[in-house]
Amino acid sequence: MRIVMPRPGVLLISVTLLWVAANEATAFGRPSSSSFLPASTKPSILRSTTTTAATESSSPIKSESAIRSVVLVKNEDFVKSDPDKREYRAIRLEPSQLEVLLVSDGDTDVEAAAVHVKAGHFYDPPNRAGLAHFHEHMLFLGTTKYPDEDDYENYLSKNGGSTNAYTDMEDTNYYFNVAPLDHDEDGDDGDDIDEAQDSTDEMVEGGTSAALSGGLDRFAQFFISPSFAVESVERELRAINSEHLNSITSDQWRNFQLLKSGSNPNHPFHKFGCGNYKTLTDGGDIAGESAESSGGSSPRDVLLQFWNDNYQSNNLKLCVVGRASLDDLQKTVEDTFGYLPPPTTAPVVENLSSATSPTNGDKVEFPLENARGVAAFGREQLGLVREVVPIMESRSIKLYFAFPPMDDPLLRETRPYRVISHLLGHESPGSLHYLLNGEGLINGLSSGTGIGVSDFSLATFSLSLTPKGMKQRDYVLSLVFQWISLVKSAIENDEHGLMEQYHDELRRISTMNFRFRENGDPIDFASGAAELMFDYEPSVILAGSAFTKEYKPELAKALLERMNPENVLITVSDQDLDKENSPHADSETSLGASEWQTEQWYRGKYREEKIPQAVMEKWKTPEIDPRLKLPDLNAFIPDDFSLKCEDPEEQTDPSIDYSKQPPCLLIDRPDSLRMWHKLDRTWKVPKTSIRIHLTSPNLYRSPRTMTMARLYQKVLNDDLNSFVYYASVAGCNYRVDCAPTGFRVSVTGYSEKLPNLLDTVTTRMLSLLREMKEGPEAHPGLAQKFNKAIQNLCRETKNYKLDSPYEVGSYNSRILMENPVWHVDSYIAELEGEYAEKEPLTMEECADTMEESLSRVKAEAICIGNINEKEARKVASVIDEHFLAHSRPLTEDENPKFRSFKLPTRAEAVSIFGVESTTSRSIPLIVEDMVLSESEENNSVEVILQAGSDFELGYQGVAIMELIGHIAYGSAFGQLRTKEQLGYIVSAFTRKTAGGAGSLCVVVQSSIALPEHLEERCEAWLASFRQELADMPEERLAMEAGAVVAQLLERDAKLSDEIGSVWGEILALETLSARLKQPAFDRLERLAEHLTVQEEDVEVQSQSTSVSPTAAELKQQVVAFFDKHFSADSEDRRAMSSRVYGHKGKEVFESHKGTPGVLSNYSDVRHVKQYLSLFPLAPYY
């Protein structure tokens, strides 16, 4: 399942996937490791894993283009940001009419492409709910030209790439990326490899990379001739069903479907988009052998019809990002996508246009509103209160107002709702947020567009409530309508043009952000750009909605008129709603007399009634609280965008590649402060990032001290909001975290205002402690924030136990393997229950604990970006003044140390548990747990195979393990997910635990099998995977290694990437001694050397000094590594299994208690850890 989250940058704001306020807009997609495990596009040594495994298959590309294309927009006509050095071209292929955006970026290490289809689950047939989603899955499973269902993903993996897709309401988006390698896509033997190398040499001199060409050729076949193989249909139907079952216990999916199910049944928004086996087979039973034998029918014919109807070339848009020139990219697109057949119907999007007059007297009418002829939310669906019982502990009120679509022609250019949303969601003094937060009624508030499609949108006002706030829900709702009325009145009586000033202020910020926007990840760009091609002319597609026209008060008034109680759906979500002594019983909007209902698809529990007329009248004409007032204009918008690297005193040598230079150590006081600095001469944007880590051994001293640290963090962030809100709106942001190793402070944004923000944040960190120590009577507002922090932390901590089974399993394995580590139950005991009542957490104790922690610290910091050495030293002075001047330096012995235990070998397990633990199991150590939610139908298993510590493995061992993990993902997915259909969530990946201990993990979550069976299948796959490695041709293994190398050597694409890279290397050493404190900024390059395969005929002298292996040597290393650490019959194997049972497996779980080697509770885990030894802490570099 892929849940679409907002993508960064104006360009990537989706018209249909708006998540701004309510997190309601969701989409369905193919399984991706990025959905539930480390991200899929880089090795895990970059804190992620790869998505696919590889096999070879050829991809002949026509050498001579027979397709004609027309240039629509030239590069010089595109509106670009200042840092954007890419070249662009928009073309249209003939005769298919496919429009394509070409992007040439000679500096990119990643190439990508995406196709956006203007058809989603709104187009599902009535008797095949989920067909668009199912169709999206099926396109990946083979085409006429490439019939092997694994060919596409294997090809991409071999070329260092990945792929995914999502299906939304009116759209489907497919995308992939590759990292160009030093080989072509052909061949299983040496001759083919030589031919591939020759092809690549030509590509290097000029032309599209072989990796991208082959990827595009395979990708194009999705839209030319997909196979929809009969043998794949039944299997993938079960995968869709598993995906749906994985989401049933998700409040997010439940709430989204409740919104859909409550809409007009005659509008396509009402549909069930994910689908399941029964809906897709029109009545089939998944318990049967096939759809036809269980009362249903195969959807294959309907799939073909769906493809023919909706995947016409004029209903698609393509975006390609590559290293080659625009001319070469254009030729490659002609040779691949040029063979799409011409369309036989008009584009789907044109069928929704309306000729309605924009105005009717004084009333503004929006041309596209309800263009389908039916309103998704009409009178029957609005003016309602809906109460919902969530699975997780949460309290919220959401107000949905029926609006016209945000891309209506009247709204697109001026974006009047942006001003309305800005004001409603404002958090400055005098705002609704400020008032409710100050009274301890809310945790947060947001305003935006929660749902947006072509003929309507839902303007959403969301409030996250405290228990106190939920008890006063009538008061909260009353203030909401007062606030709306205040904004409405200000717009209607705007004699001084204040609204226009707000509008212009937002225009300035939006224009500024676009002007200095850097290029991001090519795959995100391609995916977002392909979508936006339906909404903007090519020349302005990069800017998107960044540039808006003048303010139009009549449009703002028309929208605000919609924000009335007759046009709203109010959802109240609280676990206490169905309890006998519910605090809601006395509410004037309480639905206590109504019967509870269960939503059909996700089983959400709810009830709803019309808003009482008396309440509605009160909300229509409220008396406005005098404490509410509109915000001041923003004085923090920067206007100095000068670059320090262009100052006369800064010498920039054009012959130097500054992107390869690491930061310098500006201040080196090992016992107190190390300050790193780098003046940006590469990206040349007026932005800076300052990162500070204050190492302290006291934060993680006990569950109580860590709880105090988290409470302090919450109170501080809550309190700072009123100080820095304007700065955050203007592009300067801060973050303060209390981590187990100490305090982390980050400020980032436009350079001009950043020093002030740093001073404000660090000053308040200390002054807040002084005020907290003075107690609640002196500072009742702070006391309220502190009590709210306790409630929120307690809720969040308890909700952690309601995570998905595979997430619970991962947590349990970490609890066993890491030291020190506090169990979640220990944190809960500090927050509620008998012990918490005897020794309650107090504001004064929290301040004392944090003050003590700050009294023994040392600092590591970096200033990077548009900041010179003099300014960096001023930052060091701030750190000295605020944190170090009055603290005692830490000794090296006091550094907090986090390490990993060695899992027992089979022989060691016999010593701990006795012979019984090894006679019937290949894995001697098992941790078992039960899910907390009774509605959870899934089980999970995580098999963990420890390879050793970084120090023991060294560069070569770490590199080899990454290569194995890269290949393992696709192999495990293909066997356990695709062939055996054990569950929708399947992955194999490398994992690091505290202190740098590395493991290979295999994860499966399933609704059809118990953990023990899943574990057996994982072991069976491991055995077959070992044989797969042994049988793998050396040339194929070299290709796989090349894919990992390409990912390791991928260069940073923007300033924030560089910041993350260098700061990550610095922080990796935060708890080590001074002698080990030199960051290995070349770590990835050195790892890549161990996977860079050299030719067999390299001179002997060269071989003796190089760490790069031949293909034969690499294969020997991989197999030997696997045999030593991962094979079931290895004496050195250190393995464990973390099993989590759904409630249907409770009996089995209970029967295993007391079995030697099976740990059924934390007491068992704590006992066993006493027998385990620790890995060394030193790094491999």
Side-chain angles (χ1 to χ4, degrees), residues 489-537:
S489 175
I491 289 179
E492 292 174 350
N493 305 293
D494 189 16
E495 298 177 359
H496 303 290
L498 181 60
M499 294 300 140
E500 185 172 3
Q501 293 181 70
Y502 288 139
H503 180 81
D504 290 343
E505 188 176 85
L506 294 176
R507 289 173 72 185
R508 283 178 60 197
I509 294 172
S510 180
T511 302
M512 173 185 70
N513 289 336
F514 171 71
R515 177 184 171 187
F516 299 110
R517 191 184 67 211
E518 300 173 85
N519 293 326
D521 179 42
I523 196 169
D524 284 342
F525 176 92
S527 175
E531 179 177 6
L532 291 179
M533 289 170 71
F534 282 99
D535 305 308
Y536 294 95
E537 293 298 320

Side-chain angles (χ1 to χ4, degrees), residues 699-700 702-717 736-740 743 786 789-790 793 796-797 814 822-824 826-828 831 846 850:
L699 265 64
Y700 208 70
S702 69
R704 191 170 185 87
T705 57
M706 195 63 218
T707 299
M708 290 294 186
R710 289 169 175 159
L711 292 173
Y712 169 64
Q713 176 184 320
K714 286 183 175 294
V715 175
L716 175 66
N717 289 328
V736 178
D737 291 310
C738 294
F743 302 87
F786 185 77
I790 292 176
L793 184 58
E796 293 164 5
T797 307
R814 185 176 74 85
W822 307 120
H823 194 270
V824 62
S826 299
Y827 291 121
I828 294 173
L831 293 160
C846 180
M850 293 303 98

Side-chain angles (χ1 to χ4, degrees), residues 39-347:
S40 61
T41 57
K42 297 175 185 276
S44 67
I45 37 188
L46 300 175
R47 298 182 181 174
S48 55
T49 62
T50 52
T51 11
T52 50
T55 56
E56 286 72 44
S57 77
S58 61
S59 63
I61 306 293
K62 296 182 182 296
S63 58
E64 297 295 332
S65 175
I67 306 301
R68 185 171 67 88
S69 59
V70 177
V71 176
L72 303 177
V73 181
K74 300 177 182 178
N75 176 60
E76 55 266 29
D77 295 326
F78 279 85
V79 179
K80 304 181 188 179
S81 65
D82 287 1
D84 191 354
K85 301 301 186 287
R86 289 172 170 171
E87 294 185 339
Y88 300 87
R89 180 183 295 170
I91 64 172
R92 182 177 63 244
L93 299 177
E94 300 293 353
S96 68
Q97 300 179 29
L98 175 68
E99 293 186 5
V100 185
L101 176 65
L102 304 173
V103 185
S104 174
D105 184 352
D107 294 327
T108 187
D109 291 329
V110 176
E111 301 181 309
V115 167
H116 196 79
V117 186
K118 207 64 180 172
H121 73 252
F122 275 14
Y123 300 89
D124 288 348
N127 64 332
R128 302 280 183 174
L131 186 72
H133 178 209
F134 180 54
H135 176 275
E136 171 230 302
H137 276 236
M138 289 298 301
L139 279 192
F140 286 82
L141 300 180
T143 61
T144 301
K145 185 174 183 180
Y146 300 103
D148 185 348
E149 65 181 24
D150 296 325
D151 177 87
Y152 175 61
E153 295 194 40
N154 286 342
Y155 174 85
L156 295 179
S157 176
K158 179 181 66 177
N159 286 280
S162 62
T163 182
N164 211 333
Y166 65 81
T167 302
D168 196 36
M169 292 174 282
E170 296 178 298
D171 309 82
T172 305
N173 192 286
Y174 303 85
Y175 48 89
F176 77 85
N177 71 333
V178 291
L181 309 177
D182 293 330
H183 57 76
D184 204 340
E185 69 278 357
D186 297 318
D188 287 296
D189 54 44
D191 293 338
D192 287 332
I193 295 298
D194 292 338
E195 293 173 8
Q197 185 62 54
D198 293 340
S199 172
T200 301
D201 291 341
E202 294 177 3
M203 176 274 295
V204 171
E205 295 176 4
T208 305
S209 72
L212 182 60
S213 297
L216 285 171
D217 193 46
R218 288 162 173 78
F219 194 34
Q221 298 306 310
F222 284 25
F223 314 100
I224 296 173
S225 184
S227 59
F228 298 120
V230 174
E231 59 271 20
S232 300
V233 169
E234 179 68 28
R235 189 175 64 239
E236 206 60 28
L237 284 168
R238 296 175 184 274
I240 294 286
N241 198 78
S242 179
E243 179 179 350
H244 172 56
L245 290 176
N246 281 330
S247 304
I248 281 180
T249 55
S250 164
D251 283 325
Q252 180 176 308
W253 285 105
R254 286 186 167 201
N255 292 336
F256 182 49
Q257 190 60 47
L258 266 174
L259 198 61
K260 289 165 65 64
S261 296
S263 66
N264 190 327
N266 296 317
H267 191 282
F269 182 72
H270 185 81
K271 293 183 177 182
F272 168 43
C274 179
N276 59 26
Y277 190 90
K278 185 175 182 178
T279 65
L280 286 167
T281 59
D282 196 15
D285 186 348
I286 196 170
E289 292 186 3
S290 67
E292 295 87 341
S293 66
S294 61
S297 60
S298 171
R300 186 175 185 275
D301 290 343
V302 192
L303 280 172
L304 293 169
Q305 189 62 50
F306 186 90
W307 187 86
N308 285 320
D309 291 345
N310 298 294
Y311 278 59
Q312 300 277 331
S313 55
N314 60 350
N315 203 41
L316 317 174
K317 304 290 184 185
L318 168 66
C319 177
V320 178
V321 182
R323 293 195 309 206
S325 69
L326 290 171
D327 289 341
D328 289 325
L329 291 174
Q330 183 170 339
K331 181 179 182 301
T332 302
V333 168
E334 291 170 349
D335 289 341
T336 53
F337 277 83
Y339 294 94
L340 267 69
T344 58
T345 61

Side-chain angles (χ1 to χ4, degrees), residues 976-989:
L976 302 176
R977 170 21 178 107
T978 304
K979 294 178 181 177
E980 298 188 29
Q981 284 293 308
L982 291 176
Y984 184 71
I985 293 177
V986 173
S987 190
F989 57 97

Side-chain angles (χ1 to χ4, degrees), residues 66 151 158 171 182 194 222 309-310 482 494 524 535 577 616 691 731 764 866 870 880 993 1101 1136 1154 1169:
D151 177 87
K158 179 181 66 177
D171 309 82
D182 293 330
D194 292 338
F222 284 25
D309 291 345
N310 298 294
Q482 290 176 46
D494 189 16
D524 284 342
D535 305 308
L577 279 164
M616 192 175 289
R691 307 284 179 91
R764 189 55 184 156
N866 191 40
K870 181 180 178 181
D880 272 327
T993 49
Q1101 182 178 0
M1136 69 163 288
K1169 289 173 77 169

